[in-house]
C-alpha cells in the first residue's frame, strides 16, 4: 500500500511547501511498508510515495512482472509531480531500470539504487555471489517446493548480521517475506535471473546515487563499483556495516547520503 503520509493530498500539500517528491520501490518479498521508517526519518522535506509492487501486499492480485512494476512506477511518478527522485531497492532497482529502458528519464531529477546488480546470472563475474547454474536451479526448486525454508533464507540474507538493523528486525523481515504468496511472486525471481540491464547502464543520464552494503551477502562491492564506473553521472554511497539493506541497517548514514544527493540536484 502507499504510505499514508504519501497519498495524493499529502503530496500536494508537501509540493506546495517545496518538498522534494520521492517514489520508493521495494525489494522482492517486501512491501511499501518496508520504507515507513525511512520516510519518517526524511520528514517533511520530502513527499514520499511507497506503493506495494504488483504481486505484493495490496498489489497481490496484479501480474508479477517487471513491466507491471514499471507501469506502476510511471503512475506514481506522474502523481508525485516533476523533479521526483526514484529510489529502487533490490528488485525495485530492476523495476526502475525497466522503466528507464522503456520510457527514459522523463521529469525525474535523480535515481537512487540500493544494492542491486544489472545481471544476476553466474555467466557474469559480478552477478550474485557464489552462484552456479546448479545452485540457482536448486534454490529455485526450494522456493517452489519448500517456501518456509526458502523464505527464511531470503529474510536472513537481507542483513549483514543476525541482529538485523535499527529500522527492521529479523522478525519483521520474516513477517514481510511470509506475507507473500510464493506462487504469485516467483515469476519475478525467474525474470530477474534472466535479465541483463548492463547495456542500459551507460545510457542512464540521470544523476545516480549507487548505494550498497560492503557486507552484502548477495553482491560484492565490485558490482556497485561497476555501475558507478559505467554510468555517466553516478556516485557511490558505500555503507561499511550494511548488507543488502543499508537504509534499514545504517539508516542515519543512509538518510545523510540521500539528503546530500537530493541537495545536489
Amino acid at each position: 500500500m502507499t504510505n499514508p503520509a504519501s497519498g495524493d493530498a499529502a503530496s500536494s500539500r508537501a509540493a506546495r511547501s517545496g518538498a522534494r517528491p520521492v517514489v520508493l520501490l521495494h525489494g522482492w518479498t517486501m512491501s511499501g511498508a518496508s520504507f515507513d521508517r525511512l520516510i519518517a526519518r526524511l520528514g517533511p522535506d520530502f513527499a514520499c510515495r511507497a506503493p506495494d509492487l504488483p504481486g505484493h501486499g495490496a498489489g497481490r492480485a496484479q501480474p508479477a512482472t517487471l513491466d507491471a512494476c514499471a507501469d506502476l512506477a510511471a503512475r506514481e511518478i506522474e502523481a508525485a509531480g516533476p523533479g521526483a527522485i526514484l529510489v529502487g531497492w533490490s528488485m525495485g532497482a530492476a523495476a526502475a531500470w525497466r522503466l528507464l529502458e522503456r520510457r527514459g528519464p522523463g521529469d525525474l531529477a535523480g535515481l537512487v539504487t540500493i544494492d542491486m546488480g544489472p545481471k544476476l546470472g553466474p555467466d557474469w563475474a559480478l552477478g550474485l555471489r557464489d552462484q552456479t547454474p546448479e545452485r540457482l536451479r536448486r534454490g529455485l526448486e526450494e522456493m517452489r517446493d519448500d517456501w518456509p525454508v526458502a523464505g527464511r533464507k531470503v529474510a536472513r540474507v537481507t542483513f549483514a548480521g543476525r541482529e538485523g538493523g535499527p529500522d527492521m528486525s529479523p522478525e519483521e523481515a520474516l513477517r514481510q517475506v511470509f506475507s507473500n504468496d510464493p506462487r504469485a511472486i516467483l515469476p519475478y525471481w525467474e525474470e530477474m535471473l534472466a535479465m541483463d540491464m548492463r547495456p542500459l547502464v551507460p545510457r542512464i543520464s540521470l544523476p545516480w546515487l549507487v548505494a550498497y552494503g560492503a557486507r552484502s551477502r548477495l553482491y560484492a562491492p565490485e558490482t556497485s563499483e561497476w555501475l558507478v564506473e559505467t554510468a555517466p553521472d553516478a556516485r557511490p554511497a558505500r555503507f561499511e556495516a550494511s548488507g543488502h539493506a543499508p537504509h534499514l541497517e545504517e539508516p542515519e548514514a543512509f538518510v545523510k547520503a540521500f539528503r546530500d544527493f537530493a541537495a545536489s540536484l
Side-chain angles (χ1 to χ4, degrees), residues 64-195:
T65 68
L66 291 179
D67 279 339
C69 289
D71 289 340
L72 174 61
R75 293 193 296 272
E76 293 287 332
I77 291 166
E78 182 178 3
I85 299 172
L86 180 60
V87 180
W89 171 31
S90 191
M91 187 190 81
W97 292 330
R98 178 61 57 83
L99 173 71
L100 294 172
E101 182 181 52
R102 287 173 46 187
R103 305 189 182 204
D107 289 331
L108 287 171
L111 172 68
V112 178
T113 57
I114 304 173
D115 205 56
M116 183 61 175
K119 181 174 175 59
L120 279 60
D123 54 337
W124 188 44
L126 301 180
L128 287 167
R129 279 184 181 271
D130 303 322
Q131 293 298 318
T132 65
E134 177 61 19
R135 285 180 179 172
L136 290 172
R137 184 190 64 78
R138 290 201 307 266
L140 186 57
E141 287 181 354
E142 186 174 65
M143 290 175 187
R144 288 175 178 150
D145 300 336
D146 195 349
W147 184 241
V149 169
R152 285 183 173 83
K153 291 180 181 178
V154 170
R156 188 164 61 247
V157 300
T158 299
F159 307 113
R162 293 183 178 181
E163 68 281 3
D167 280 5
M168 184 177 283
S169 68
E171 294 75 22
E172 288 175 295
L174 274 174
R175 285 196 294 273
Q176 291 251 342
V177 169
F178 287 128
S179 70
N180 294 286
D181 178 352
R183 295 168 298 179
I185 62 172
L186 271 178
Y188 277 128
W189 185 244
E190 296 175 281
E191 188 176 3
M192 286 190 290
L193 287 178
M195 80 176 186

Side-chain angles (χ1 to χ4, degrees), residues 4-61:
S6 52
D8 290 340
S11 295
S12 298
R13 290 194 299 271
R16 288 195 297 271
S17 67
R20 168 78 71 175
V22 180
V23 175
L24 301 116
L25 307 178
H26 63 77
W28 189 62
T29 75
M30 293 284 128
S31 71
S34 62
F35 290 118
D36 282 355
R37 289 172 181 153
L38 173 61
I39 291 170
R41 288 178 183 275
L42 288 172
D45 292 338
F46 297 91
C48 297
R49 306 176 68 88
D52 289 343
L53 294 178
H56 298 77
R60 178 185 294 261

